[in-house]
């Protein structure tokens, strides 16, 4: 399992801050950096800039909302970013949520499953046609496309049409049940990426850390897709799903995700103070090295 960072700096910070965070992750030996796209920076552009400044780390979106780009416009931008970062970019793509699409993006909300199927098919076709026409210039590997999926129908679609899936606020019950079952049913074992993003805090005060996590990230719990996940997981909010506690406790939870078939764990670092944040970064760096070493044993 690869260890990555999931960060919302693209939503709330500067491009300079994104570059600095990507550099910190790369310097720590962490394998990947995943960022959402919502109301702040253009994440694709920010990752292209960061990727030119910092080498040796995979860069991914988690996720680009489909309403923000037509398939043609996104395909064009993907190819540009991929060339800029030397083939290290992975596209995470999602339908977003009805309230965000309507109130923030000012777009019409369309049936998500049908929309995702049509969009993925069109995007694949455009990218394939573009590569077939390419007669000169840098050649990079085809971009992996992961679908944001946390509930049964979308998970099934991901196993049918995507190279993997990316989740937020999803834990063992969903991954060990729905995700593993869908991958097995589709015959995609060993050839399908599962990127799981959750808040992580190494701390001596788990209850305090969960209060901070819920205050900062609990707003997503109200969206219907996440509400269904919380019911399935048997919890009241994202804080209860989070990976929180001593270094040993965090290490054990992440080992459990690896055993369930998660290929990439994207840690969203949340800390009540600098000590918690530093401890979390240090443990993730250790785990990244350990998992990379053990892969070849």
């Amino acid at each position: 399992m690869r260890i990555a960072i999931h960060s919302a700096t693209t939503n709330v910070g500067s491009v300079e801050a994104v570059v600095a965070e990507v550099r910190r992750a790369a310097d720590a030996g962490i394998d990947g950096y995943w960022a959402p796209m919502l109301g702040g920076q253009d994440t694709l552009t920010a990752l292209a800039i960061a990727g030119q400044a910092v080498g040796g780390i995979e860069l991914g979106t988690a996720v680009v909302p489909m309403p923000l780009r037509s398939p043609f416009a996104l395909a064009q931008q993907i190819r540009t970013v991929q060339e800029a970062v030397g083939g290290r970019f992975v596209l995470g793509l999602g339908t977003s949520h009805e309230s965000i699409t309507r109130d923030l993006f000012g777009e019409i909300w369309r049936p998500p499953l049908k929309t995702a199927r049509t969009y993925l098919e069109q995007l694949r076709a455009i990218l394939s046609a573009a590569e077939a026409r390419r007669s000169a210039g840098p050649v990079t590997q085809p971009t992996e496309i992961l679908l944001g999926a946390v509930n049964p129908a979308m998970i099934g679609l991901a196993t049918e049409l995507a190279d993997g899936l990316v989740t937020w606020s999803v834990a063992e019950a969903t991954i060990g049940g729905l995700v593993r079952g869908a991958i097995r049913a589709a015959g995609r074992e060993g050839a399908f990426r599962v990127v799981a993003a959750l808040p992580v805090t190494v701390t001596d005060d788990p209850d305090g850390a969960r209060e901070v996590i819920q205050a900062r990230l609990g707003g997503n719990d109200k969206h219907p897709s996440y509400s269904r996940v919380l019911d399935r997981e048997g919890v009241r909010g994202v804080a209860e799903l989070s990976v929180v506690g001593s270094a040993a406790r965090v290490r054990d939870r992440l080992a459990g995700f690896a055993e369930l078939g998660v290929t990439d764990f994207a840690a969203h670092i949340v800390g009540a103070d600098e000590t918690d944040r530093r401890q979390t970064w240090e443990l993730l760096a250790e785990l990244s090295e350990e998992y990379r070493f053990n892969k070849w044993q």
Side-chain angles (χ1 to χ4, degrees), residues 49 52 59 101 103 132 164 179 237 254 261:
I49 294 169
Q52 289 211 312
L59 303 166
T101 298
D103 300 336
V179 173
L254 266 59

Side-chain angles (χ1 to χ4, degrees), residues 63-75:
V63 294
V64 174
M66 295 176 191
L68 292 182
R69 297 285 189 280
S70 70
F72 185 90
L74 183 57

Side-chain angles (χ1 to χ4, degrees), residues 19-34:
V19 174
E21 199 167 48
V22 171
R23 180 173 287 112
R24 181 178 184 179
D27 288 346
I30 289 169
D31 296 301
Y33 181 92
W34 295 81

